[in-house]
Amino acid sequence: MLNNHCVPAGPSAFVQKFLNSALSPHGGYFLLKYPRSLIHTNAEESVKNTCSRLECLRGVILVQILQTGLGIVLGLFSEVDMVGNEDHDIMIWANRVHNSKQTILVYLSSSGLDVKELITILSRSTFVTTSFTSGRVEHEVELLVAKLIYYGLIPILRFYIALWLADTWVFFIHRAEHSNQWLYKNFHSRHHELNVPYSWGGIYDHPLESLFLSVGAYVFGVIGSGMTLRESMLFSAFSSVKTCTDHGGYQFPWNPVDLFTTVGAAYHDKHHQRWGLKKNFALHFQFWDRLLGTEFTDAEVASRLYARDREAVEIAREKKREKVKPL
C-alpha cells in the first residue's frame, strides 16, 4: 500500500517518462559518433564491410523509430509514477542504522570489549563525543548515513544489478543467434555486415532482433533491479553511450565507460571478425564468456590475425587497382 505522503508525479514526470522511454537512448547514441577508427584502417572498412554507411544509417534510424514508438506506447499505458515518499523511506533507513549501531554495541560488549572505555578513547574527537552524548546530533548522524545509503549506495547497487541482468540477457540470446543457423541467417547476420564496426552501427540490427535483444535487455535490467524513473534514464543513456564506444573501432587510452564494465571496444571488435564470431558474446562483463569458455584470450594470436587481415585487404586493393588500369 502506498504511503499517505505519495502523490501523483504530475505533468513533469510524464515528460521525464517520455524522455526516458523514447528519447534519452538516442540522445546519448548520436552524441558519440566518431567515424575514425584506430583498430582498423579505412581501407579495411571499404573492403570488409558488406553494407555502406548510408545503408547502415538508414537501418539505425529505422530501429530508433521503432524503439521510440514502443517507448511512447509503454509510457502511455504504464502506471502513474508516485513521488513524495523519499522522506519516509529515509526515516526507515535511519531507524535501521540506529538498530544496527545498537546491535554492534551489544555484540562488542558481549565479546568482552569495554565499550565505555572505547568511547573514552575516542572522546579525543569532539565529533565522536558529541555523537554519543547528544541524542539530537546522534540522530542527525544516523540521518546522514541513511541519506548516503538511500541516494548513493542503493542506486549504485541497482545500477550494477541492472548491468549484470542486461549482460546475462544479451549473452545467452547472442550466443544462441550464433549457434542456430536460422537465427543467424534471418536476424543477426545483418549486424555482422559490419566486420569493421563504427559507432552508429552499434544498433544496425534486424528491427525485430533490436526490440527483443536490446530493448529486452534494458527492460529486464530495469525491472529486475527495481530502478526508479531517473535511474532508468541514466541506465538507458549509459547503455547507448557504451554501444557507441564498443562499436567505435577506437580503443581509448582512458574511457570513463570502461570504469564500470570489463568489456570494451577491443574486446567486442574481435567478435566482429570472421575468426572471432564464436567468441566474446558478452555485453558488459566477461563473466559468462570466461565461465563457458567463449572468451578470445590469446592476444598474440589476435594480433597475427589482425595483421593477416590487413595484408589481405592491401592485396585485394592492389588487385582491384590493376584491373582498372587503362590498357
Side-chain angles (χ1 to χ4, degrees):
M1 182 177 294
L2 292 173
N3 184 272
N4 292 333
H5 296 290
C6 290
V7 295
S12 62
F14 176 79
V15 174
Q16 282 187 329
K17 180 185 291 185
F18 174 77
L19 292 173
N20 171 52
S21 60
L23 299 181
S24 63
H26 313 314
Y29 191 82
F30 278 106
L31 281 175
L32 276 177
K33 303 194 304 292
Y34 38 89
R36 300 291 297 176
S37 169
L38 288 185
I39 296 179
H40 299 279
T41 63
N42 291 335
E44 286 182 273
E45 179 188 333
S46 62
V47 172
K48 296 172 69 174
N49 287 354
T50 58
C51 77
S52 66
R53 289 200 170 207
L54 180 59
E55 182 182 356
C56 176
L57 187 59
R58 288 172 180 168
V60 167
I61 291 175
L62 173 61
V63 166
Q64 292 192 322
I65 290 174
L66 291 175
Q67 290 182 357
T68 301
L70 178 63
I72 293 173
V73 171
L74 292 177
L76 291 174
F77 290 96
S78 61
E79 295 181 359
V80 177
D81 293 295
M82 309 299 288
V83 296
N85 204 37
E86 293 84 356
D87 291 341
H88 174 264
D89 293 339
I90 290 173
M91 290 305 299
I92 291 177
W93 276 104
N95 186 56
R96 291 170 179 170
V97 170
H98 176 79
N99 292 337
S100 298
K101 186 189 71 174
Q102 296 300 321
T103 301
I104 292 173
L105 291 176
V106 171
Y107 174 78
L108 292 176
S109 297
S110 63
S111 300
L113 183 66
D114 191 339
V115 177
K116 292 183 178 180
E117 180 65 21
L118 177 62
I119 295 175
T120 301
I121 295 174
L122 295 175
S123 63
R124 298 171 185 173
S125 168
T126 305
F127 174 78
V128 173
T129 304
T130 307
S131 298
F132 278 97
T133 57
S134 172
R136 183 181 64 82
V137 175
E138 181 181 1
H139 175 71
E140 290 179 356
V141 172
E142 292 170 352
L143 198 60
L144 175 61
V145 174
K147 289 181 179 180
L148 291 175
I149 294 173
Y150 187 80
Y151 291 115
L153 181 61
I154 292 177
I156 291 173
L157 288 175
R158 284 177 179 154
F159 179 74
Y160 271 97
I161 291 172
L163 287 178
W164 277 101
L165 291 175
D167 183 71
T168 300
W169 178 280
V170 168
F171 176 86
F172 286 101
I173 295 176
H174 190 190
R175 188 184 184 190
E177 288 180 315
H178 280 272
S179 302
N180 185 292
Q181 290 186 353
W182 184 84
L183 288 175
Y184 184 82
K185 179 180 178 181
N186 291 281
F187 296 99
H188 194 54
S189 61
R190 179 183 179 92
H191 184 68
H192 281 278
E193 291 176 9
L194 299 177
N195 291 118
V196 180
Y198 38 82
S199 58
W200 66 67
I203 58 170
Y204 178 63
D205 305 317
H206 188 287
L208 293 180
E209 180 197 19
S210 177
L211 293 178
F212 187 69
L213 186 66
S214 302
V215 177
Y218 167 76
V219 172
F220 186 50
V222 169
I223 295 178
S225 63
M227 279 184 162
T228 64
L229 177 64
R230 291 178 181 177
E231 291 166 357
S232 65
M233 290 179 68
L234 292 175
F235 179 62
S236 176
F238 174 85
S239 300
S240 296
V241 171
K242 190 176 188 306
T243 298
C244 289
T245 59
D246 283 355
H247 292 84
Y250 191 111
Q251 182 63 31
F252 291 113
W254 183 81
N255 183 0
V257 176
D258 292 340
L259 295 176
F260 302 95
T261 65
T262 60
V263 170
Y267 187 91
H268 186 68
D269 188 83
K270 294 181 180 67
H271 174 72
H272 272 266
Q273 309 313 304
R274 293 179 180 177
W275 41 265
L277 285 176
K278 299 291 186 179
K279 299 289 184 179
N280 294 12
F281 298 114
L283 176 65
H284 296 306
F285 305 105
Q286 297 159 299
F287 174 78
W288 290 113
D289 273 325
R290 289 180 176 176
L291 182 66
L292 300 178
T294 55
E295 182 183 11
F296 200 107
T297 57
D298 198 324
E300 185 177 345
V301 170
S303 180
R304 289 202 303 267
L305 291 172
Y306 274 123
R308 183 200 66 182
D309 288 352
R310 293 189 189 99
E311 183 179 354
V313 166
E314 291 303 320
I315 293 174
R317 293 184 70 202
E318 185 62 30
K319 289 182 178 180
K320 185 176 181 179
R321 282 194 292 264
E322 290 178 356
K323 287 182 179 180
V324 298
K325 283 182 179 179
L327 297 176

